[in-house]
Amino acid sequence: MDRLRVFLLGMPRQKKRLIQVVMDVFLVWISLWGSFVVRLGVEDVTEPVRTHPWLFFSAPLIAIPLFIRFGMYRAVMRYFGNDALIAIIKAVSLSALLLAVVVFWYSNHQTVVPRSIIFNYWWLSMVIIGGLRLCMRQYFMGDWFTGGQHIPFTNRDDGLTKVAVYGAGVAGNQLVAALRLGKVMRPVAFIDDDASIADRSISGLQVYKPKHIQQMIDETGAQEILLALPSSTRARRREILSMLERFPLHIRSVPNFTDLASGRVKVDDIQEVDIADLLGRDAVPAQPDLLERCIKGKTVLVTGAGGSIGSELCRQIFSLGPTTLLLFDHSEFNLYSILSELEQRVDRESASVKLLPILGSIRHPDKLLDVMKTWKVETVYHAAAYKHVPMVEHNIAEGVLNNVIGTLNTAQAALQSGVSNFVLISTDKAVRPTNVMGSTKRLAELTLQALSREIAPVLFGDKANVSRVNKTRFTMVRFGNVLGSSGSVIPLFHSQIKSGGPLTVTHPKITRYFMTIPEAAQLVIQAGSMGQGGDVFVLDMGEPVKIVELAEKMIHLSGLSIRSERNPQGDISIEFTGLRPGEKLYEELLIGDNVAATEHPMIMTANEDHLPWDTLKSKLGELLNAVESDDYARVRQLLRETVHGYTPDGEIVDWVYQQRRLEP
C-alpha cells in the first residue's frame, strides 16, 4: 500500500487528472445504477442499462464538464478540505438538476423514468464521489484513523511525539491540521478554558478542561503542550504558563497574533515559549502622533543600525513613513542583514522609503558630519554602543572611545549639520554605576545634557574656538535589559538547556529589569518626540525579575526537572558562578527621586544633575589623554570625579593594564 501511494503521488499531474475523470465516469454510472436499485429493486443487474441506455450516456456527459468547471480536478487530494466539498455539492447538485431536465424531456417521447430516480442519483453521487475523495485524502496522508485514540482497537504507537494543543479555536485547529500533515508530531487532545466545549470532540480530539490536564496526560500519554493562543494577552499567557509549570511537559507555542498578521510566520511555526509571556506584562498601545512626530516625511539616521535595538528601530521607523532611512553601522554583516530585510519589505509593500546603508564608525567625526550634511538628516537615533558589562570592563579604552567619544562625535556632527532631533539610547546601568560601561553611558548622557543647555557652544576639539548655533533638541531614553538582545541571558539559558545544563547564574539574589525589543524601540521613538531638550526619559520596566526564578521557569517549561540536593535525580542543575567584574546585584532607573509623568503612561522624565559644557569639555580632554596613554587608573579616577555615584567594584581588570603591571 505504501509503494502504491508513493507511485501515485509521483505520477505527472495530467495522468492523475485523467485517472480522476475516468473514475468519476464510473462513479456516476454506479450512482445512477444504484438509484434504480433503491427505487425499483432489481433482479437483473443489467436491466437499468438495457432499459435506459440513453440515461447512462447522458449522465457522465452532463456531470464531467461541470466537475471540471467547478475545479474538482484542480484540488490536491492531500489538502482536500471544506472548499472542495462545497464545490462537489454544487457540481453534483447542478448535474442532477440538468439530468432531471433531460429525463423530463426524453420521457415524454420514449419511456417513463420515475422522478425519485433523480433524487436518489443526487444523494448517491454526493456520498460516493465525495466519500471516495475523503477516503483518498486519508490514504494519501497515510492516516486512516485520525483521532483514533478514542476508537477501540485503533490505538497505535507511530513513534511521533504526542502533543496536546491548548486552545481549540481557529489557530488550534489549523495547528492540528498542519501537524497531521507534517507527520512530525501527533496531536492527541485539546485543552480549552471554554466550559461549553469541554469533554466534546473537535477534529477527532477530545477537549479537556485545564483542571483535568493530569487526566489528559494519563489517558493520552501527551509529552508536550503547544499553546495555540496567538491573540491572548501576555497576562493571560502568564497565568496559563504558571499553571502548566507543575506538569512534566515541554511547553511550546505558536507565534503571537502580530507575527501571524504580518505574515512573518505561520500557525505551524512552533517555537519555544516566549519569555515575554513569563513576565506577563502587556504593551501599552502606542500614540500615533508621538510615533510619527520626528519620523514621518523626514530623513532619519540610525547609528548601530544592525544591532538588536538599532535593527528594531529601523523596522519600526520604516513603517512610519520617512522619506529616507540611513542605516549606519561598522559591522558589514549586521548592516547587510537589516538592509536585506528592509529591502524585502520595500518590494512586498511597494514602500517609497529610500534605504541608504552606510559603513562607518562613530569614532570618525568627519564621516558622521559628511553623512548628516550630505543627506540633510533631520532625526538621529544613536543606538551604537558597547553594552556588555564584563567585556567593556576588560577593554576600558574601547568602551570610553566608543561610548563617550563616539557619542560626542555623533552629537557634535548633529549640531553642526542642523539636525532637529537627537535621541540617545541609554541604559539603567548608567545609574550609580559599578562598571565602566555604565559610567561611560552616564558620561554620554552628561554630554548631551551639557550641549542641550548651550545656545552657541564651542565644540570639543575645535582649535578655532568658533561658536556654533545649536538648533538640535537632545533627549536621552534610559531602560533596562531587552529580551533576546546580543549578550542576553535568555539565549544562553536556551542553549544550556539544549546541551543538558547546567544553567549558570551569577548570584542567587541577582535581579534585572526586562522588556521586549519591539516594545522598547516603540517607547524610544515616542519618548524622543517629547521634551524640550536635555530631558532624560525613563521607561516603565515593571517589576524586576530574579534571574534564578527565570532559570527555574525555563527548565520546568521545557518539561524537565531541577537537579538539587532535594532532587538529586533531576534533569538540569543551576550553578552560581559569582558576580562578574563590574556586575551589580540590582539595577536602578533613577539617580534621584525627582521624576515626573509625561503624556505617555509608560514614560517618565527624570531631572538629573548635569555639568556645564566648559567643565565637561575639560574633563573629556583629560579622559581622552588618559586613554591614549593607557593610564587606566587615571581613567577610573576621572570617571569617579565626573559621574555621580560611580563606585567601581574591585580592581582594574583591563587586559592591557594587567599585562603592563606584569612587565618588569
Side-chain angles (χ1 to χ4, degrees):
M1 294 295 286
D2 289 338
R3 288 183 180 179
L4 177 62
R5 178 168 57 246
V6 172
F7 172 75
L8 291 174
L9 289 174
M11 291 179 64
R13 184 67 182 157
Q14 294 300 326
K15 287 187 177 181
K16 292 178 182 177
R17 288 180 175 176
L18 180 60
I19 291 173
Q20 283 184 286
V21 170
V22 172
M23 285 300 302
D24 281 343
V25 170
F26 281 104
L27 294 178
V28 166
W29 284 341
I30 292 171
S31 300
L32 189 58
W33 177 83
S35 65
F36 278 97
V37 173
V38 171
R39 171 64 178 84
L40 303 173
V42 64
E43 295 181 0
D44 182 359
V45 295
T46 62
E47 182 180 351
V49 182
R50 286 188 291 102
T51 308
H52 307 286
W54 59 273
L55 197 55
F56 282 84
F57 175 78
S58 302
L61 205 61
I62 293 170
I64 299 302
L66 288 174
F67 292 175
I68 295 172
R69 179 67 183 83
F70 279 89
M72 287 172 54
Y73 304 117
R74 291 196 300 269
V76 179
M77 203 66 69
R78 281 171 291 172
Y79 307 114
F80 190 81
N82 293 337
D83 291 341
L85 283 174
I86 292 172
I88 290 174
I89 292 172
K90 290 179 179 178
V92 168
S93 298
L94 187 56
S95 68
L97 184 62
L98 292 178
L99 187 64
V101 173
V102 171
V103 167
F104 176 77
W105 178 82
Y106 198 83
S107 295
N108 290 339
H109 300 82
Q110 301 292 330
T111 183
V112 177
V113 176
R115 295 177 183 176
S116 59
I117 292 295
I118 299 301
F119 175 75
N120 291 337
Y121 167 73
W122 172 73
W123 70 262
L124 280 171
S125 294
M126 279 202 289
V127 170
I128 294 174
I129 294 173
L132 180 62
R133 278 167 165 76
L134 288 174
C135 289
M136 292 306 294
R137 180 187 70 175
Q138 296 304 108
Y139 171 66
F140 285 126
M141 288 177 66
D143 191 357
W144 288 97
F145 297 105
T146 296
Q149 67 269 18
H150 300 298
I151 303 174
F153 311 113
T154 63
N155 288 334
R156 71 198 191 286
D157 186 4
D158 48 17
L160 301 180
T161 302
K162 296 178 180 179
V163 297
V165 176
Y166 200 118
V170 174
N173 278 274
Q174 288 178 349
L175 178 59
V176 166
L179 293 176
R180 284 172 171 164
L181 193 63
K183 295 292 181 183
V184 177
M185 298 179 179
R186 182 185 172 202
V188 294
F190 276 117
I191 306 167
D192 203 281
D193 302 318
D194 187 353
S196 65
I197 60 174
D199 299 323
R200 298 178 65 180
S201 179
I202 296 178
S203 297
L205 303 178
Q206 184 174 339
V207 182
Y208 291 85
K209 294 180 181 179
K211 64 181 180 180
H212 295 152
I213 289 179
Q214 188 58 56
Q215 176 189 344
M216 181 273 296
I217 296 172
D218 296 338
E219 292 179 356
T220 65
Q223 299 160 283
E224 292 191 17
I225 291 183
L226 305 181
L227 302 181
L229 306 166
S231 58
S232 293
T233 64
R234 284 192 189 141
R236 177 58 189 145
R237 292 168 76 91
R238 183 184 185 183
E239 291 177 10
I240 293 171
L241 290 173
S242 297
M243 180 266 294
L244 295 176
E245 195 179 338
R246 66 178 184 270
F247 298 103
L249 298 169
H250 188 181
I251 314 298
R252 293 197 281 175
S253 69
V254 299
N256 62 39
F257 184 81
T258 304
D259 291 335
L260 291 172
S262 67
R264 290 198 292 264
V265 294
K266 303 185 291 295
V267 167
D268 56 333
D269 287 338
I270 298 167
Q271 58 193 19
E272 295 298 328
V273 170
D274 190 348
I275 302 302
D277 294 335
L278 296 180
L279 304 182
R281 195 179 63 151
D282 292 305
V284 174
Q287 298 182 17
D289 60 319
L290 290 179
L291 284 175
E292 296 177 352
R293 189 174 296 171
C294 298
I295 294 174
K296 191 174 181 63
K298 299 182 184 296
T299 299
V300 181
L301 167 68
V302 179
T303 68
S308 49
I309 289 291
S311 59
E312 182 61 30
L313 280 171
C314 291
R315 294 182 192 102
Q316 297 197 22
I317 290 169
F318 179 93
S319 303
L320 295 170
T323 55
T324 306
L325 176 56
L326 286 81
L327 316 172
F328 191 95
D329 204 293
H330 76 286
S331 168
E332 182 185 35
F333 175 76
N334 289 350
L335 190 60
Y336 171 76
S337 299
I338 185 61
L339 176 66
S340 300
E341 179 184 332
L342 294 180
E343 283 179 336
Q344 291 176 13
R345 287 185 60 183
V346 169
D347 296 337
R348 188 169 63 246
E349 302 170 18
S350 300
S352 58
V353 180
K354 185 177 182 181
L355 300 174
L356 295 171
I358 300 172
L359 273 173
S361 170
I362 57 174
R363 303 263 289 274
H364 300 146
D366 293 339
K367 172 80 171 183
L368 289 164
L369 181 59
D370 187 37
V371 168
M372 293 186 198
K373 279 187 173 180
T374 302
W375 279 283
K376 297 179 174 60
V377 173
E378 297 167 88
T379 300
V380 173
Y381 291 95
H382 182 49
Y386 291 141
K387 59 187 179 182
H388 195 272
V389 169
M391 193 72 72
V392 175
E393 206 70 18
H394 286 294
N395 297 273
I396 292 175
E398 291 303 307
V400 171
L401 292 173
N402 198 69
N403 293 358
V404 179
I405 305 303
T407 299
L408 175 67
N409 293 338
T410 312
Q412 292 194 152
L415 189 149
Q416 289 175 271
S417 58
V419 168
S420 301
N421 308 290
F422 187 102
V423 183
L424 169 68
I425 314 302
S426 191
T427 171
D428 58 354
K429 294 171 180 62
V431 179
R432 281 183 278 272
T434 59
N435 50 70
V436 174
M437 194 282 281
S439 62
T440 58
K441 292 298 286 184
R442 177 55 187 150
L443 196 48
E445 291 181 356
L446 287 169
T447 300
L448 298 194
Q449 286 177 298
L451 278 174
S452 68
R453 286 167 170 78
E454 296 292 324
I455 298 175
V458 176
L459 300 185
F460 178 81
D462 186 356
K463 296 179 181 178
N465 207 33
V466 177
S467 297
R468 311 276 181 169
V469 177
N470 186 0
K471 298 180 181 179
T472 305
R473 183 173 61 89
F474 294 100
T475 55
M476 295 132 275
V477 185
R478 189 187 291 163
F479 55 92
N481 295 20
V482 287
L483 297 170
S485 67
S486 58
S488 171
V489 71
I490 307 304
L492 174 64
F493 283 169
H494 276 307
S495 64
Q496 288 176 339
I497 288 173
K498 286 182 180 179
S499 63
L503 267 62
T504 54
V505 179
T506 55
H507 194 280
K509 292 184 179 180
I510 193 168
T511 64
R512 288 292 181 267
Y513 291 100
F514 284 103
M515 179 178 281
T516 65
I517 294 177
E519 183 183 6
Q522 188 183 82
L523 290 172
V524 163
I525 293 172
Q526 294 176 90
S529 300
M530 299 187 288
Q532 302 302 313
D535 306 82
V536 177
F537 291 106
V538 179
L539 304 187
D540 181 357
M541 301 291 295
E543 294 298 321
V545 178
K546 290 188 72 172
I547 301 301
V548 67
E549 291 180 359
L550 194 61
E552 291 171 353
K553 286 180 180 292
M554 291 182 67
I555 292 173
H556 289 148
L557 294 174
S558 298
L560 304 170
S561 60
I562 300 172
R563 188 188 310 139
S564 63
E565 293 181 0
R566 294 182 179 180
N567 183 25
Q569 302 303 318
D571 301 302
I572 293 182
S573 63
I574 297 176
E575 292 184 1
F576 298 103
T577 57
L579 293 175
R580 297 172 295 179
E583 198 167 36
K584 296 169 67 175
L585 275 180
Y586 312 101
E587 298 292 358
E588 304 168 271
L589 289 167
L590 297 171
I591 295 175
D593 298 325
N594 195 354
V595 63
T598 67
E599 54 190 293
H600 195 289
M602 297 286 286
I603 303 172
M604 301 170 289
T605 180
N607 188 4
E608 308 281 30
D609 295 333
H610 63 277
L611 295 174
W613 174 238
D614 288 337
T615 303
L616 186 62
K617 274 199 304 180
S618 175
K619 290 292 184 183
L620 290 175
E622 292 183 55
L623 184 64
L624 187 57
N625 290 333
V627 168
E628 289 176 348
S629 60
D630 291 333
D631 187 353
Y632 298 111
R634 178 61 177 158
V635 169
R636 173 178 280 197
Q637 180 185 347
L638 287 167
L639 289 175
R640 274 178 165 169
E641 294 173 359
T642 311
V643 177
H644 175 74
Y646 173 49
T647 52
D649 184 17
E651 297 295 321
I652 297 174
V653 294
D654 182 89
W655 300 125
V656 174
Y657 177 81
Q658 289 183 327
Q659 184 62 28
R660 291 276 172 85
R661 292 185 67 184
L662 294 174
E663 293 176 357

